[in-house]
Every structure is written in structure tokens, then in C-alpha cells.
Amino acid sequence: MVNKLSVATEHYVHSTNAQQKLYKRTLLIILMSQIFGGAGLAAGITVGALLAKDMLGTESFAGLPATLFTLGSALSAFIVGQLSQRLGRRYGLSFGFIAGGIGAIGVIIAANINNIVLLFLALFVYGAGTSTNLQARYAGTDLANEKQRATATSIAMVATTFGAVAGPNLVTPMGEVAKALNMPALVGPFILAAVAYILAGLTLFVFLRPDPLLIAKAIAAEQYKQQSKIAETSTTTNSRVNRIGVFIGALVLVLSHVIMVAIMTMTPIHMQGHGNSLSAIGMVIGLHVAAMYLPSLGTGLLVDKVGRTFIVIASGFILAAAGLVAAFAPGDSLLWLTVALILLGLGWNFGLISGTAIIIDSTTIHSRAKTQGSVDVWVALGGSAGSLLSGIVVAYTSYAILGFIGMYLALLLVPVVVWTKYKSKSEFN
């Protein structure tokens, strides 16, 4: 078995044509898994806060579900990153998705027996699916060249759109399914999440062979060998890691995620408080998620062509506009809240793809998955803080104040990135 694997690896290492075929095949598998994964993550976004509100009887802790599953996503991001670095993307990503599915099952059980403790624990585990859905975007870049990286990331993101947009719009139908099973209506989306996440994990475990990260490592090792620098591999790798680039990429990812999660988390509560129906809420969140993922292919091409920094600045201004529109939008205005959430999703999309490209540019294949996992830990922790604080801000001030805070945070991103661009000796376009 070892010899066969070695022969297969050698085939990819020495054939550029085989590498490109595997690159395209990997993107196809990621596309398939992300469709399921997108449907899974939509459940917590759409009804997680509403479920907690019903079970806790207060809005003050409405941000707690998002806090818990983002904390869970932080832990799982680290675990998935470590597993991927050691064993390959296949094991890391399939573990994360299946764990998310198990968490969704736990939420279903908790809601049926009205157990708050189990609900919180299950939401924590459910978060594994969220972080894995994000980390899957890296798998398509392992065999991509420098001019394909942002585009490869965006292709994975586009696939998420199909499931993520369908998910919120299935809130009402899945609620009917749940009621037919004598369960609370808000459990319905988590039934969808359980099935979707587990299917995503099984898709990757069964079909992501050979593993793109392991092949990329073998190719890199062969290149060092051909250059007769085997003994210097460790030193060379460390010296090529651009710490400033990793920091800036992480800052872009964390800040854009905090702003997006904070405003998005409280929008369903804000809308429900102004008499909007569950279907209307699902439609707005569905369009928001579409804006998060659907523009990805165009964003990836822009990042590769016009540069990382330009798109980061655009992200800051779009997120600021989203916060401003959210702050001034009447609570019963479906149109203006939809505009705010679409801008919020688009700004996040720009930040995610440009920040991801900066991190990939700043690392090597020998440390990339581990670094990506570590960065996503901070992204998840930032989202956790944003979701928790958003509930407190809205409870003690207003949704408008939350929008203004998001606007100010977004504008802070612009001078920091511009300053770093011109002060740093490193270049990431």
C-alpha cells in the first residue's frame, strides 16, 4: 500500500498536467461539500438568537448563541488546522463538518427537552461547522499558483452560496417539518443543518483523494531537493514567512468578521421586534448570506488583478456604509434593512478574500495550514466577542448605536492597512 501511495504521489510531483487536473478536481470536491456546508451554517445565523430568546425569555442574551458557536468555531479552527497540517485537508475538514452536524443534533434534542445547558453545549459543538466551512476555502489554494490563489478561494466561497441562501429561506418549510415531528418550529433549520454538515463531511472524507495539501508538500520538498537545499529547508521556510503580512491579513479577517457578526446577529431580533414575520427575516438573512458568498468569483479576480490592499480599503468603506444604513433604517423598513445587510455581506466578502490572499502570500506550504487554523481562531474569537457585545449594546442602547459602532470600526481598518502598506518592506500588492 505504501509503495502504491508513493508511486501516485510521484506521478503528481513530476507532472504539471497531473497537478492541474488534481487542482481542478479538488475545486470540484470543495464545491460539492460547500453547498452542503452553506446550508448548515445558515441555521444558527437565522434562528439561533430567536431560539435562545424563546428558551431564556429575554433579549439581553440573544447574542449568546452566536457567541457560543463562534467560541466553538475558535476551538475547532485550531483543531482542524492542526489536523490538516499533520494529516491533510481530508481528515481535518471532514472531522470539523461531522462535529458540526453532531452539534446540530444536540440543539434539536436540547430544544425538545427544554434543557438550556445542553443547548449551550450543543451550540458550542455546532460551531465546528462554521469554522470548517471557512477553512475549506483554503483547500482549493494548495495547488494554486500565485495568480490563482484569490480566485481559488472565491470559487469555494461561491459554492457556499447555494446552500447558505437556500437555508434561511427554508426556515418556514423546515419549521413545518419540525412541527409535523412534534418539535418546536425553530428546531427545523437545525434538522437541515445536521443533515447538511454530515453530508459535507462525508463528501470530503470519501472523495478528497489524493489530499491536495499532502501533494503540495511533496511538490515543495521535491523543489528543495532539486535545488540541493534539503539541509536548509527549515531555515528557508522560516525566513520566507512574512509575519507582518500574516498580522495584516489576520487583522482584516478579524475586524471584518466582528463587524459583520455583530450587526447580523441582532438584525433578526430587531426585525421581529418591529413586527416582521419569520419569512421576512429569512428572506433578509438569505440575501445577506448571498451577498457574503455570491460575489466571491468576481472578488477573487479583482484581488488577483488590482491587488490586495485596494480591495481591503473597499471592504472598509462598504462595511462602514452598511453600519450607517443599518443605523438610520426604520425598524419596519424591509427595503433599507435588506440594503444594509447586503452591504454588510459584500464588505465581509471583500475583507475575507483579500485577507485570505494576504495570509496565503505570507506563508509557505510547510506551515500554511497551521497558520491558517491559528488565524481563524482569532477570527472566531472576534466574532464571538462581537455577537455577545451586540446583544448587550442593543439591550442597553439601540440597534442604531450598534450600526454606528460598526461604521467606526470599519473606518479604522483603512488607515491601518494603508499605513502598513507603505511602511512595510514586504509587498502583498
Side-chain angles (χ1 to χ4, degrees):
M1 184 71 183
V2 174
N3 291 333
K4 287 184 179 179
L5 181 60
S6 178
V7 170
T9 302
E10 285 289 318
H11 171 65
Y12 289 105
V13 167
H14 296 290
S15 172
T16 304
N17 186 49
Q19 291 170 23
Q20 282 299 304
K21 285 184 178 179
L22 181 58
Y23 165 67
K24 292 176 182 178
R25 183 177 181 276
T26 298
L27 287 179
L28 180 61
I29 302 304
I30 297 299
L31 284 169
M32 291 169 58
S33 70
Q34 290 295 83
I35 291 173
F36 295 125
L41 71 86
I45 293 173
T46 310
V47 301
L50 300 176
L51 182 61
K53 178 190 169 187
D54 283 358
M55 293 180 70
L56 291 167
T58 176
E59 289 186 6
S60 298
F61 298 99
L64 192 55
T67 302
L68 288 167
F69 65 68
T70 48
L71 280 174
S73 72
L75 175 61
S76 64
F78 177 78
I79 294 173
V80 170
Q82 293 289 328
L83 280 175
S84 297
Q85 190 68 52
R86 294 183 183 182
L87 303 176
R89 301 286 187 189
R90 174 173 164 253
Y91 284 99
L93 296 177
S94 59
F95 164 81
F97 273 130
I98 291 172
I102 292 171
I105 293 171
V107 171
I108 296 167
I109 296 171
N112 276 281
I113 64 175
N114 200 32
N115 188 314
I116 295 294
V117 175
L118 178 59
L119 175 69
F120 290 167
L121 179 62
L123 284 168
F124 182 82
V125 178
Y126 169 79
T130 305
S131 66
T132 306
N133 189 272
L134 279 176
Q135 284 209 36
R137 73 192 188 277
Y138 290 118
T141 69
D142 289 330
L143 295 171
N145 60 45
E146 292 182 6
K147 295 183 178 180
Q148 293 175 320
R149 288 168 179 169
T151 303
T153 300
S154 66
I155 289 173
M157 299 284 290
V158 168
T160 308
T161 307
F162 299 104
V165 173
N169 289 291
L170 289 174
V171 167
T172 301
M174 289 306 300
E176 294 300 319
V177 171
K179 287 193 287 186
L181 297 172
N182 294 317
M183 298 181 184
L186 291 176
V187 162
F190 284 97
I191 297 174
L192 174 65
V195 175
Y197 273 156
I198 290 172
L199 283 175
L202 291 175
T203 298
L204 290 165
F205 187 78
V206 173
F207 296 109
L208 197 62
R209 308 184 190 193
D211 193 290
L213 181 59
L214 298 182
I215 295 298
K217 283 184 177 181
I219 293 169
E222 181 63 22
Q223 289 173 347
Y224 281 120
K225 183 178 178 181
Q226 290 177 356
Q227 295 168 5
S228 300
K229 294 182 179 179
I230 299 176
E232 299 174 14
T233 298
S234 178
T235 302
T236 303
T237 299
N238 290 335
S239 66
R240 289 179 59 197
V241 173
N242 181 351
R243 294 184 182 278
I244 295 177
V246 171
F247 172 76
I248 293 302
L251 178 65
V252 173
L253 290 172
V254 170
L255 205 52
S256 59
H257 196 63
V258 167
I259 296 164
M260 186 276 292
V261 169
I263 296 175
M264 175 202 66
T265 297
M266 295 312 300
T267 298
I269 299 295
H270 179 64
M271 292 181 67
Q272 188 183 55
H274 284 81
N276 289 284
S277 68
L278 202 58
S279 296
I281 294 171
M283 182 195 73
V284 171
I285 296 298
L287 290 171
H288 163 68
V289 176
M292 287 172 64
Y293 295 101
L294 193 57
S296 295
L297 190 56
T299 306
L301 291 170
L302 280 173
V303 171
D304 282 335
K305 288 185 178 297
V306 304
R308 280 63 165 148
T309 301
F310 182 86
I311 302 302
V312 170
I313 293 171
S315 170
F317 282 119
I318 294 171
L319 286 170
L324 192 63
V325 173
F328 284 108
D332 58 354
S333 175
L334 197 62
L335 173 62
W336 283 109
L337 286 173
T338 300
V339 170
L341 269 288
I342 287 175
L343 288 172
L344 188 69
L346 182 62
W348 177 87
N349 177 273
F350 274 36
L352 185 79
I353 294 179
S354 57
T356 296
I358 292 170
I359 289 171
I360 295 170
D361 292 344
S362 304
T363 55
T364 69
I365 199 66
H366 303 283
S367 62
R368 187 164 293 153
K370 184 169 62 175
T371 302
Q372 289 161 348
S374 298
V375 168
D376 278 3
V377 168
W378 290 105
V379 171
L381 289 174
S384 178
S387 60
L388 180 61
L389 292 174
S390 68
I392 297 172
V393 168
V394 172
Y396 289 97
T397 59
S398 67
Y399 181 78
I401 294 297
L402 180 66
F404 284 126
I405 292 172
M407 180 190 71
Y408 293 135
L409 286 176
L411 291 176
L412 281 176
L413 186 61
V414 178
V416 171
V417 173
V418 171
W419 179 84
T420 306
K421 165 69 176 176
Y422 288 102
K423 288 293 182 181
S424 175
K425 294 181 181 178
S426 62
E427 294 184 1
F428 44 82
N429 291 337

